[in-house]
Amino acid sequence: MTLRERKKQRTRQALIDTALEQFTARGFAGVTLDELCEAVEVSKRTFFRNFASKEEVAMAPLEDMWRGFLVELAAAEPGGRPALAVARDALLASLDGLADGDWAGRALLSYRLSESTASMNAHSLHFCERTTQAAIDIIRPWLDEETRERDPRPRLMVDMLVAAFRYALAGWAADTETADIETADTGAAGTGAAGTGAAGTGTAGTGAAGAEVGKTCEELAARLREAVGALPASLTLTLAHQAGAGRSAP
């Protein structure tokens, strides 16, 4: 990675961390885009080079995971494996690539904000539909050419994977909240989210959620495996073709 790319990445991360910190403290609607840019010491032009909206910066941790999922899925070698297992492993690989306490904290703050912010929920639905369609576009070329276009199972399989992840994420977040309350009751609650500047590397995850009783990506991954394992086997779709056979990019 070049110096310019590292600087761009630091700025993007500072925007995410500051947005999550301020939205959590003051409410999503309580922070203007101008205030966010001023806190990170960047122009609105720089913001829009990284994100399309406040909703997108607030959802960035979880959306980055799903973008990684598409990359992992496109690189998969399905062989004769069930499609759901291939997709699950791609999502777990994406999660593993982000596996640190900082990402876990950011993802938790993002999820909590989305649960109480209608515009974030609407943004998330649109993102989910685009990602689902991209995943289907990757999977279809692996199927029998005569039936791939009318086979409903790729769509149903991806929908089930998304549902399993949402179930796992909600349980993970609820457990963390319960543990936070218990920790606070003992007088051992963590400190607030760390502040960030344009060139800084402080993260909302470290102070606000990453240190909140140390919830990790491994725990979320375990919940995802459990949720996928509970899905009905009747929708098993076997990917008989190898990855190189007529694949199209998402």
Side-chain angles (χ1 to χ4, degrees), residues 14-16 18-44 47-48 52-55 57-58:
L15 283 165
I16 295 170
T18 303
L20 291 173
E21 175 193 353
Q22 295 201 357
F23 294 163
T24 298
R26 298 163 53 191
F28 183 83
V31 181
T32 67
L33 184 55
D34 285 332
E35 290 172 328
L36 175 58
C37 291
E38 183 179 353
V40 187
E41 299 178 358
V42 299
S43 66
K44 289 175 74 172
F47 176 89
F48 285 117
S53 63
K54 284 170 56 181
E55 287 79 8
V57 70

Side-chain angles (χ1 to χ4, degrees), residues 55 114 117-128:
E55 287 79 8
S114 71
T117 307
S119 64
M120 285 180 64
N121 254 319
H123 171 88
S124 181
L125 288 173
H126 286 296
F127 176 84
C128 182

Side-chain angles (χ1 to χ4, degrees), residues 142-202:
W142 296 339
L143 306 180
D144 186 273
E145 187 173 359
E146 293 183 1
T147 60
R148 67 175 59 151
E149 293 304 322
R150 60 179 183 272
D151 193 329
R153 290 176 299 172
R155 173 70 197 220
L156 296 174
M157 183 276 298
V158 177
D159 284 347
M160 287 197 304
L161 181 68
V162 171
F165 178 76
R166 287 176 172 167
Y167 176 82
L169 182 64
W172 179 68
D175 276 2
T176 302
E177 185 172 357
T178 299
D180 291 346
I181 294 171
E182 292 173 352
T183 301
D185 286 343
T186 65
T191 59
T196 57
T201 57

Side-chain angles (χ1 to χ4, degrees), residues 130-142 246-250:
R130 294 194 305 272
T131 303
T132 295
Q133 190 56 57
I136 293 169
D137 290 344
I138 294 171
I139 293 167
R140 283 206 188 279
W142 296 339
R247 168 179 296 165
S248 60

Side-chain angles (χ1 to χ4, degrees), residues 89-102:
D89 290 349
L91 185 55
L92 288 169
S94 175
L95 184 57
D96 186 59
L98 298 164
D100 60 56
D102 290 342

